[in-house]
Amino acid sequence: VAKEELGNKPKRKGGQTKEGIARCTFEDKILMSDIVFLRAWTQVEVPQFFNPLTTALQPRDQTWKGMRTVAELRRDHNLPIPVNKDSLYKKIERKPRKFNTLVIPKSLQANLPFESKPKHQPKRKRPGLEERRQRGVIVEPRERKIHALVQQLQLMNNNKMKKRNLKEKKKKKAWEEEKKKEEELSKKRKREERRDKYRKEDKLNKKSRRA
């Protein structure tokens, strides 16, 4: 069990492994300030022993009676079972943790490629010119109407462009299909012309042999 006050418990990782071997991970991020308690168990052989009862060596007409148990004593004296507050189950309330930002040393940053280098922009104490301009500008009702009209015109133009692109794609697809059909027809014609040519040559060869 680790970080008992925050309830950071380990979870088993992976499938079935050899007996005594396990891979675990923690629910929350482990910090350098945390204390991890590892509790391991091992099989121990308990030595067998016996306790001779000398009181059992008594006459048969008398029944042997042993010492009363703790439960019998509590029941006779109406004593409640003592409760340890630390042993009771408590609801774990986990507060959201805020981790510090990743700090890369400058010596390591120098060896990193440009894409992997952190791009930190220092925060401005005063707002920039564009920000101040946006804050200070008050839009009049006429300017709002003009702005809304421009947005509507842009939306209409975008819809027209989409429709035009769809038409062009359909035309291109139809043209490609027609071109494919023409190529197949031309191949078929060339094949037939070749066959006619070979037939004529064969007939001429046969005539020449007969002559």
Side-chain angles (χ1 to χ4, degrees), residues 188-201:
K188 195 174 182 181
R189 283 173 194 163
K190 286 178 182 179
R191 210 178 293 132
E192 287 176 356
E193 286 174 0
R194 260 191 241 114
R195 283 177 184 172
D196 292 339
K197 185 182 176 183
Y198 291 144
R199 281 172 189 166
K200 287 176 183 179
E201 286 179 359

Side-chain angles (χ1 to χ4, degrees), residues 75-86:
R75 188 168 57 249
D76 293 342
H77 295 284
N78 292 324
L79 294 172
I81 298 170
V83 178
N84 188 4
K85 291 182 179 180
D86 293 337

Side-chain angles (χ1 to χ4, degrees), residues 65-79:
K65 191 176 181 182
M67 291 178 67
R68 288 184 291 176
T69 60
V70 177
E72 288 174 352
L73 289 169
R74 282 189 188 135
R75 188 168 57 249
D76 293 342
H77 295 284
N78 292 324
L79 294 172

Side-chain angles (χ1 to χ4, degrees), residues 142-156:
R142 184 172 174 276
E143 289 179 352
R144 285 179 189 169
K145 287 180 182 178
I146 292 167
H147 184 64
L149 184 63
V150 169
Q151 284 184 337
Q152 288 173 3
L153 288 169
Q154 285 179 351
L155 185 64
M156 288 167 66

Side-chain angles (χ1 to χ4, degrees), residues 44-96:
V44 178
E45 291 184 3
V46 180
Q48 296 180 358
F49 65 96
F50 67 97
N51 187 13
L53 294 173
T54 55
T55 55
L57 302 174
Q58 56 188 358
R60 292 184 181 180
D61 57 345
Q62 296 179 5
T63 56
W64 176 80
K65 191 176 181 182
M67 291 178 67
R68 288 184 291 176
T69 60
V70 177
E72 288 174 352
L73 289 169
R74 282 189 188 135
R75 188 168 57 249
D76 293 342
H77 295 284
N78 292 324
L79 294 172
I81 298 170
V83 178
N84 188 4
K85 291 182 179 180
D86 293 337
S87 300
L88 298 173
Y89 289 100
K90 297 176 184 177
K91 190 177 179 181
I92 299 168
E93 294 181 359
R94 298 184 183 179
K95 296 178 181 179

Side-chain angles (χ1 to χ4, degrees), residues 121-176:
Q121 294 182 354
K123 292 183 179 179
R124 293 182 178 181
K125 292 181 181 178
R126 295 181 180 179
L129 180 64
E130 191 68 27
E131 194 176 347
R132 278 184 287 165
R133 191 184 296 163
Q134 287 176 0
R135 284 181 186 174
V137 173
I138 299 169
V139 183
E140 294 181 357
R142 184 172 174 276
E143 289 179 352
R144 285 179 189 169
K145 287 180 182 178
I146 292 167
H147 184 64
L149 184 63
V150 169
Q151 284 184 337
Q152 288 173 3
L153 288 169
Q154 285 179 351
L155 185 64
M156 288 167 66
N157 189 23
N158 290 336
N159 289 333
K160 282 181 182 178
M161 291 295 291
K162 283 180 182 178
K163 288 178 182 178
R164 192 183 296 169
N165 289 334
L166 285 170
K167 281 184 180 179
E168 286 178 358
K169 283 180 181 178
K170 285 179 182 178
K171 281 182 182 178
K172 190 178 180 182
K173 194 175 181 181
W175 177 77
E176 285 177 354

